[in-house]
Amino acid sequence: AAAAAGGRFSLALSGGSLVGLLSRDLPAAVAAAGPAAPASWLVAFCDERLVPPEHPESTCGAYEVS
């Protein structure tokens, strides 16, 4: 609703079991929002570990693999 009203939708992604849940359900939510909607989304990865994306414990890397 925020993005549709001309605002921004912000989403901070953590790791753990959320990776599997969002990997399964987020693509359908994006498709339902319409093709232009993700352009107004701000997506951030929340990761307390200082590791590169390709590291096995990286939150960003976990989403890329899923």
Side-chain angles (χ1 to χ4, degrees):
R8 180 186 301 163
F9 172 70
S10 300
L11 179 64
L13 301 174
S14 62
S17 61
L18 187 61
V19 175
L21 175 74
L22 288 180
S23 295
R24 184 189 71 222
D25 296 336
L26 191 57
V30 171
S40 63
W41 291 14
L42 172 64
V43 179
F45 295 101
C46 303
D47 202 336
E48 72 281 2
R49 295 156 292 196
L50 295 173
V51 296
E54 59 276 356
H55 191 278
E57 294 187 13
S58 165
T59 296
C60 178
Y63 282 98
E64 288 179 352
V65 170
S66 294

